[in-house]
Amino acid sequence: MRIVAADVVVTSPGRNFVTLKLTTDEGLTGLGDATLNGREQAVVAYLREHVVPLLLGTDPHRIEDTWQSLYRGAYWRRGPVTMAAIAAVDVALWDLKAKVAGLPLYQLLGGASRERVRTYGHANGRDVPELLDSVRARRAEGYQAVRVQTGVPGLQTVYGVHTGEAIARPTHRALPLVEDWDTPAYLRHLPTVLEAVRHEFGPELPLLHDAHHRLTPVQAAKLGKDVERYDLFWLEDCTPAENQEGFRTVRRHTTTPLAVGEVFNAVVDYQTLITEQLIDYARSAVTHFGGISPLKKLFDFAAMYQVKSAVHGPEDISPVGTAAAIHLDLAIHNFGIQEYSGHTDLTNEVFRHAYTFTDGHLHPGDAPGIGVEFDEELAAAHPYEAAYLPVNRLADGTVHDW
Ligand code: EZ4
Ligand code: CO
């Protein structure tokens, strides 16, 4: 079997998604997600100009060899653009291989290690009453674990709070939305939010919170300590993790579980974090980490240190990337939880998928491959729209981590 076509398609059924479709001489197709939010066209060019010519005529069964040749053969290593491009190839090849086998992908990854995959959903509100309503809404949808984010008094727009044009919603603007930030105000406010949520919903509901890279290690350590009594399932991205050693300070001071990794794109990004057991959950996405092959290696490595999986699952990963994650989640032993925001109805029409969401849990379904069909005609009716993620500034105008 040979690859005879490799098409890169950008569609925006509400937000942009980049899809790679590989076609073989036997007429089989495999899909991969290459969506890099806010930088989509860079990955499109990387794939079209530099990767597609290398794939044509090759044997799609040679997944590991193809991965290594794209990674090592480029000489320039890592980086989100490269790794999103390689991820799309890797997932499309796994999709093809599983279709040839006539099996759902999770069967090729070792088979099911559980009946279904636990998820968490996103609750948010500009203030506490709005947040409590949002938690109720997520629970009514079936979610059994909830991430809670609120506005901060004195700030206009904060990550994770959907006030009209916000974060992971598409922001079809010429220039990025500018958000404001004040770390001391946030550190004072968050414990009062968690107090209110626990008071309303009791001790059992698993609660998560995302600090979105905004704190220094010592600020993160203080926050972790301050919220211990609210028993978070995890505190996410409490401090930028390029400096892995920074997590030593956080870990030394708090037993609040820590999750990190959604902006990482290689196993080595986690080396200190995992070998020193500085985190509890590894959060990379199939789509930004080079695909299923390296993410499986990461989780096998993490398992030796009792670190669990928590694959990144925002709206800006397409149903193709979501499906790939669910197959991996079902198969690995050290599964922790899967983030799942769902997609709009239109997105689910463009990418018809076999995976299902019931009682807060996902199942990949038993269609051969990853179980996603791409409606290219509908995709073409919703072309690319330029969009940026927001940027964050302090009161004096200084750019801060978003
Ligand atoms: O900000 O995917 O945990 N989820 C997140 C996401 C990220 C977006 C960036 O594109 O932090 O909402
Ligand atoms: Co996050």
Side-chain angles (χ1 to χ4, degrees):
M1 196 165 58
R2 299 282 151 197
I3 296 170
V4 295
D7 300 296
V8 185
V9 181
V10 193
T11 179
S12 185
R15 66 168 321 116
N16 292 315
F17 296 112
V18 180
T19 307
L20 173 70
K21 185 181 90 172
L22 300 182
T23 307
T24 73
D25 52 357
E26 295 174 8
L28 281 177
T29 57
L31 296 175
D33 177 28
T35 309
L36 184 63
N37 200 8
R39 295 294 185 272
E40 296 87 354
Q41 299 288 26
V43 190
V44 172
Y46 192 106
L47 280 167
R48 281 194 188 140
E49 304 294 327
H50 306 295
V51 174
V52 168
L54 303 175
L55 296 177
L56 298 177
T58 63
D59 174 1
H61 277 305
R62 298 185 62 176
I63 300 177
E64 183 68 16
D65 182 70
T66 303
W67 195 96
Q68 297 296 344
S69 73
L70 291 177
Y71 183 76
R72 294 175 201 279
Y75 182 64
W76 311 108
R77 293 176 186 226
R78 303 160 65 190
V81 174
T82 298
M83 299 312 280
I86 297 178
V89 176
D90 183 80
V91 171
L93 294 179
W94 277 111
D95 190 22
L96 278 169
K97 191 186 282 292
K99 282 178 179 169
V100 171
L103 293 170
L105 175 60
Y106 70 83
Q107 295 291 12
L108 274 57
L109 302 175
S113 285
R114 56 196 49 78
E115 300 302 317
R116 56 188 190 160
V117 168
R118 174 170 63 160
T119 70
Y120 68 92
H122 291 185
N124 64 87
R126 279 167 297 187
D127 54 21
V128 167
E130 239 183 56
L131 172 64
L132 298 181
D133 282 346
S134 179
V135 174
R136 279 182 210 108
R138 293 296 85 74
R139 277 159 58 99
E141 289 162 9
Y143 283 103
Q144 295 177 20
V146 184
R147 189 189 83 163
V148 292
Q149 309 290 137
T150 57
V152 174
L155 297 184
Q156 294 299 310
T157 45
V158 171
Y159 166 78
V161 182
H162 302 151
T163 47
E165 274 186 301
I167 80 122
R169 303 293 170 204
T171 48
H172 298 312
R173 306 162 54 99
L175 291 169
L177 177 72
V178 179
E179 296 188 350
D180 50 350
W181 186 247
D182 177 344
T183 300
Y186 163 78
L187 291 176
R188 285 192 301 272
H189 187 58
L190 184 65
T192 70
V193 172
L194 297 178
E195 169 74 33
V197 174
R198 278 287 175 231
H199 181 76
E200 184 68 17
F201 298 102
E204 284 169 25
L205 178 64
L207 291 179
L208 303 85
H209 177 76
D210 191 345
H212 225 252
H213 327 270
R214 285 155 189 223
L215 312 177
T216 63
V218 77
Q219 289 169 337
K222 181 180 185 314
L223 180 64
K225 239 166 99 166
D226 285 352
V227 302
E228 269 170 21
R229 79 196 91 136
Y230 305 118
D231 192 26
L232 284 180
F233 186 93
W234 78 43
L235 176 62
E236 174 175 337
D237 288 337
C238 60
T239 191
E242 293 97 313
N243 171 19
Q244 298 183 49
E245 290 83 353
F247 274 73
R248 291 178 186 148
T249 301
V250 188
R251 195 61 151 180
R252 195 176 297 137
H253 291 287
T254 181
T255 57
T256 294
L258 303 172
V260 79
E262 68 185 51
V263 301
F264 289 174
N265 46 66
V267 178
V268 71
D269 294 334
Y270 284 98
Q271 193 166 4
T272 302
L273 293 172
I274 289 178
T275 56
E276 296 188 19
Q277 295 185 263
L278 301 179
I279 58 169
D280 302 282
Y281 296 92
R283 280 199 34 76
S284 291
V286 173
T287 301
H288 303 134
F289 203 75
I292 286 168
S293 303
L295 202 54
K296 173 85 163 64
K297 293 174 189 175
L298 170 70
F299 292 143
D300 289 345
F301 167 52
M304 292 192 288
Y305 299 88
Q306 291 171 288
V307 175
K308 293 191 173 187
S309 77
V311 176
H312 191 207
E315 302 98 325
D316 46 279
I317 282 170
S318 87
V320 173
T322 304
I326 302 167
H327 284 275
L328 188 58
D329 292 337
L330 198 73
I332 58 174
H333 177 253
N334 57 328
F335 169 75
I337 199 164
Q338 171 68 48
E339 183 180 33
Y340 182 64
S341 312
H343 292 97
T344 62
D345 291 344
L346 181 58
T347 300
N348 289 329
E349 275 177 55
V350 172
F351 301 94
R352 284 190 307 276
H353 52 78
Y355 64 80
T356 50
F357 178 73
T358 319
D359 298 331
H361 291 72
L362 287 160
H363 190 281
D366 283 306
I370 59 169
V372 181
E373 280 173 47
F374 186 36
D375 185 335
E376 287 178 78
E377 221 168 281
L378 190 56
H382 300 278
Y384 171 74
E385 296 182 64
Y388 285 103
L389 281 164
V391 298
N392 213 7
R393 288 186 188 272
L394 305 180
D396 70 356
T398 307
V399 172
H400 194 71
D401 299 274
W402 182 72

